[in-house]
Amino acid sequence: MKLITFESGGTVMAGYLDGEQAVICDKGPDASRAVLRRIQSGTTGDWPELGRLDLSEIRLLAPIPEPLRDVICVGKNYHAHAAEFFGSGFDSSAKEEVPSNPVIFTKAMTSICGPDDVVNGSLDPTGSVDYEGELGVVIGRKAQRVGKADAMDYVAGFVVINDVTSRELQKKHNQWVIGKGLDTFCPIGPWIATADEIADVEAMELVTTVNGEERQRAVVRDLVFDIPPLIETITATGTLLPGDIIATGTPAGVGIGHTPPKYLQRGDTVSVSITGLGTLTNPIA
């Protein structure tokens, strides 16, 4: 099932995709939290139908526009990107090229926006806005002290994320929260595909383009730390809750990997596609 939150005629609704139609399962003032509630209930299937709209009649929003907490992110988690970031001069806190343990940080929940929403690059006073296409993992069950062997049992689904970043702010503040937490700097969508929809997670391919030019291409199996050890690491000392989102890291090809860097400019369009998860497209302002 492809879970969606959307707007039509000024009303926020939630439900799922069925071909070229949006199936309405919830609508009204609290519908923006309906997908989150569905995941928290542990029953993403068999959602009662209230009606249908053609995709041409709706505007997709972030599937979970109002998450419980900040997005949990993983840094330098593809081998080639770890090398390009380490050699870029912007990696101000690391002493090793490829991390020996997962690098975990968070991205402000207030940075979330949806498909086709404008990323407000003008908020970055340094003019160093960069893209990072990533696979997002949505947690479906409360998870504490989860071992690798059982980790995937706690996954509700998957979603496309663009971890938009101000490189200069990221470098200046050492910790990455400010450089990655600007408003609108976390596009998510267009839908959450439930785990049963993805037959082979490791074979999923990620492609990022800027104005139609391919910049990133990788498969999930290229991760330094794949999903089970990430869940094991995060839950070893803390708790993941249903609806939490983990951004698993970006592959090589980001703007700072070029000489000179290819930062995003006003008028650019970034698209991130992942097998089975659709394409997340956002203009830059």
Side-chain angles (χ1 to χ4, degrees):
M1 182 175 284
K2 295 179 174 68
L3 304 174
I4 55 174
T5 302
F6 54 100
E7 181 270 335
S8 182
T11 300
V12 176
M13 309 179 195
Y16 60 92
L17 288 180
D18 183 11
E20 294 300 309
Q21 291 189 315
V23 179
I24 305 166
C25 301
D26 200 313
K27 61 181 178 180
D30 203 31
S32 62
R33 298 181 64 84
V35 169
L36 175 60
R37 289 195 300 269
R38 196 70 182 171
I39 291 169
Q40 290 172 323
S41 74
T43 55
T44 52
D46 300 322
W47 205 351
E49 179 179 334
L50 303 178
R52 292 177 176 242
L53 290 170
D54 291 337
L55 294 186
S56 60
E57 300 177 88
I58 70 169
R59 180 175 70 90
L60 288 168
L61 308 175
I64 303 179
E66 303 169 14
L68 288 172
R69 305 192 287 186
D70 290 355
V71 177
I72 301 165
C73 302
V74 186
K76 305 200 308 181
N77 202 27
Y78 283 84
H79 290 276
H81 172 64
E84 76 175 350
F85 187 50
F86 186 81
S88 69
F90 286 84
D91 193 0
S92 59
S93 60
K95 293 182 173 61
E96 52 186 359
E97 181 174 297
V98 178
S100 54
N101 293 285
V103 177
I104 307 295
F105 61 97
T106 60
K107 196 170 178 78
M109 59 188 292
T110 51
S111 67
I112 288 176
C113 65
D116 299 315
D117 283 345
V118 173
V119 172
N120 189 0
S122 66
L123 292 175
D124 173 20
T126 71
S128 59
V129 180
D130 206 348
Y131 52 87
E132 293 192 6
E134 306 197 10
L135 170 66
V137 177
V138 183
I139 297 300
R141 297 164 52 194
K142 185 177 181 179
Q144 296 173 298
R145 276 42 111 204
V146 175
K148 288 185 287 187
D150 301 317
M152 296 305 289
D153 295 337
Y154 290 80
V155 175
F158 305 93
V159 66
V160 182
I161 296 176
N162 187 353
D163 177 15
V164 183
T165 303
S166 164
R167 294 301 181 193
E168 292 289 351
L169 292 180
Q170 180 185 27
K171 180 180 180 181
K172 175 182 177 181
H173 294 280
N174 294 324
Q175 299 273 346
W176 297 351
V177 173
I178 289 179
K180 289 176 172 284
L182 289 78
D183 289 348
T184 71
F185 271 42
C186 190
I188 295 180
W191 59 73
I192 293 171
T194 52
D196 59 291
E197 291 240 336
I198 308 299
D200 186 351
V201 175
E202 290 193 345
M204 297 170 78
E205 185 176 52
L206 180 153
V207 178
T208 302
T209 65
V210 177
N211 303 327
E213 175 192 357
E214 183 177 308
R215 297 283 184 87
Q216 295 180 292
R217 182 180 292 269
V219 291
V220 173
R221 68 170 55 93
D222 292 338
L223 287 168
V224 177
F225 303 100
D226 60 8
I227 296 166
L230 293 178
I231 292 175
E232 181 181 62
T233 296
I234 295 166
T235 64
T237 54
T239 302
L240 287 171
L241 300 175
D244 278 345
I245 302 168
I246 303 171
T248 56
T250 199
V254 295
I256 56 165
H258 297 83
T259 305
K262 292 184 176 181
Y263 293 134
L264 296 173
Q265 306 294 324
R266 180 187 295 271
D268 285 347
T269 299
V270 182
S271 294
V272 185
S273 301
I274 300 180
T275 309
L277 305 183
T279 299
L280 173 65
T281 297
N282 297 92
I284 310 300

